[in-house]
């Protein structure tokens, strides 16, 4: 028995409408009618043009750049749907912004990820569906259920088809110590070896020294991370693999392509042959870089939405 919502409806803001449309196509339904725009002074304006009374409503909205505008759109849409008597509201946030501010790194720091979680809950969301949170403990910042999907299976499928039997001879590389657990889980599924790029400053005002932990000599490597922002760490890790580790080639993949500032230029001039990203954030113009490859998360999110609506387990999506 379905305990929430007489039917399912999907709405979107302006963060990633192409992904929302693709999710609806996968589900064989149309995108909900809504107008999300801004007033002249920058305030968010939301109009819902169809009834949602008693419906199980999913709002697809990544909080990517412009982060604050997209976050406000999400909050205002949730509020509008709650006041329109939606049966249940799920915030579908493929990329959860502010996730890197998950702890106090120094005195008087905010924990902004917790603040954002409080805002989403206060707006009226009943549950959250997201993907590859930068820190898994953010799930505990919410007082409502959180389903954190993993991009890992999408990359496993992509590289298994791309390299086939060669996979067992390749090496998965974590670009820093903090991403080791994520990279290890990926490597185990493809039966690859694991290596780590360790960077440290020996003394103040000295350049970082890059060390490669593990044998990558003459190997094809895959750098695995959760996001690429300015691409500095990723490109430096690729350089270390080639120059220090003597790797044969370097591919890279990450769930979220934030690609801020000099990221595209760095990727284009790096030793990375291909950077595979998920479309949790809208794709950049293909003319800017021939090294970028986007993989769709729409099939995974559409199945997760259908399972949440039917009140059945989504754990099989993690395999």
């Amino acid at each position: 028995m379905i305990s929430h919502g007489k039917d399912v409806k999907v709405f979107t803001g302006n963060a990633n409408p192409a992904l929302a449309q693709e999710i609806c196509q996968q589900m064989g339904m149309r995108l909900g009618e809504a107008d999300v725009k801004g007033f002249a002074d920058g305030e968010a304006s939301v109009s819902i043009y169809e009834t949602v009374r008693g419906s199980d409503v999913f709002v697809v909205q990544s909080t990517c750049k412009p982060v604050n505008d997209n976050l406000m759109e999400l909050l205002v849409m949730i509020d509008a749907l709650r006041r329109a008597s939606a049966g249940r509201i799920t915030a579908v946030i493929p990329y959860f912004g502010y996730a890197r501010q998950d702890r106090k790194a120094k005195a008087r720091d905010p924990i902004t990820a917790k603040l954002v979680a409080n805002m989403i809950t206060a707006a009226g969301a009943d549950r959250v569906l997201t993907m590859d949170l930068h820190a898994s403990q953010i799930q505990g910042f919410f007082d409502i259920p959180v389903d954190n999907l993993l991009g890992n299976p999408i990359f496993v499928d992509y590289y298994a088809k791309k390299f086939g039997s060669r996979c067992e001879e390749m090496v998965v590389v974590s670009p820093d110590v903090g991403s080791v657990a994520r990279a290890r889980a990926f490597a185990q599924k493809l039966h690859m070896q694991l290596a780590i790029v360790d960077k440290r400053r020996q003394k103040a005002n000295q350049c970082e020294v890059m060390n490669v932990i593990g044998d990558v000599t003459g190997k094809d490597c895959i750098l695995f991370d959760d996001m690429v922002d300015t691409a500095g760490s990723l490109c430096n890790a690729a350089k270390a693999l080639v120059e220090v580790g003597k790797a044969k080639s370097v591919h890279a993949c990450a769930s979220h392509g934030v690609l801020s500032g000099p990221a595209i230029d760095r990727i284009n001039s790096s030793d990375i042959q291909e950077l595979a990203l998920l479309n949790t954030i809208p794709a950049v113009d293909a003319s800017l870089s021939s090294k970028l490859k986007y993989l769709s998360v729409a099939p995974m999110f559409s199945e997760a939405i259908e399972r949440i609506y039917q009140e059945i387990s989504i754990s099989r999506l993690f395999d």
Side-chain angles (χ1 to χ4, degrees), residues 229-279:
D229 191 353
T230 59
S233 296
L234 193 75
C235 293
N236 286 337
K239 183 178 180 182
L241 288 173
V242 173
E243 295 184 0
V244 180
K246 307 301 181 185
K248 180 181 176 183
S249 69
V250 180
H251 293 73
C253 60
S255 298
H256 310 300
V258 181
L259 303 180
S260 305
I264 297 295
D265 291 336
R266 285 175 174 172
I267 292 166
N268 287 339
S269 59
S270 73
D271 294 296
I272 297 171
Q273 292 189 4
E274 179 189 76
L275 172 58
L277 300 167
L278 303 181
N279 63 342

Side-chain angles (χ1 to χ4, degrees), residues 163 166-172 192-193 220-222 251:
F163 295 114
R166 286 176 54 202
C167 282
E168 295 187 11
E169 301 170 8
M170 299 175 71
V171 180
V172 174
M192 294 181 180
Q193 298 299 310
D220 296 307
C221 299
I222 301 176
H251 293 73

Side-chain angles (χ1 to χ4, degrees), residues 181-244:
R182 180 181 293 115
R184 182 184 291 115
F186 176 64
Q188 287 175 343
K189 289 191 175 183
L190 285 171
H191 306 290
M192 294 181 180
Q193 298 299 310
L194 178 68
I196 304 165
V197 174
D198 177 41
K199 58 183 178 182
R200 63 186 67 188
R201 293 184 190 275
Q202 305 291 16
K203 294 181 182 178
N205 300 321
Q206 283 191 356
C207 293
E208 288 181 334
V209 177
M210 309 288 282
N211 297 311
V212 179
I213 303 172
D215 181 19
V216 299
T217 305
K219 299 289 184 69
D220 296 307
C221 299
I222 301 176
L223 278 165
F224 186 82
D225 210 350
D226 68 318
M227 71 169 65
V228 180
D229 191 353
T230 59
S233 296
L234 193 75
C235 293
N236 286 337
K239 183 178 180 182
L241 288 173
V242 173
E243 295 184 0
V244 180

Side-chain angles (χ1 to χ4, degrees), residues 135-176:
S136 295
Q137 64 265 25
I138 291 173
Q139 295 173 82
F141 291 1
F142 289 88
D143 294 323
I144 54 179
V146 177
D147 292 308
N148 182 31
L149 299 178
L150 304 177
N152 195 323
I154 299 174
F155 289 123
V156 168
D157 184 59
Y158 174 68
Y159 285 115
K161 291 177 179 176
K162 183 180 179 70
F163 295 114
S165 59
R166 286 176 54 202
C167 282
E168 295 187 11
E169 301 170 8
M170 299 175 71
V171 180
V172 174
V173 182
S174 172
D176 52 51

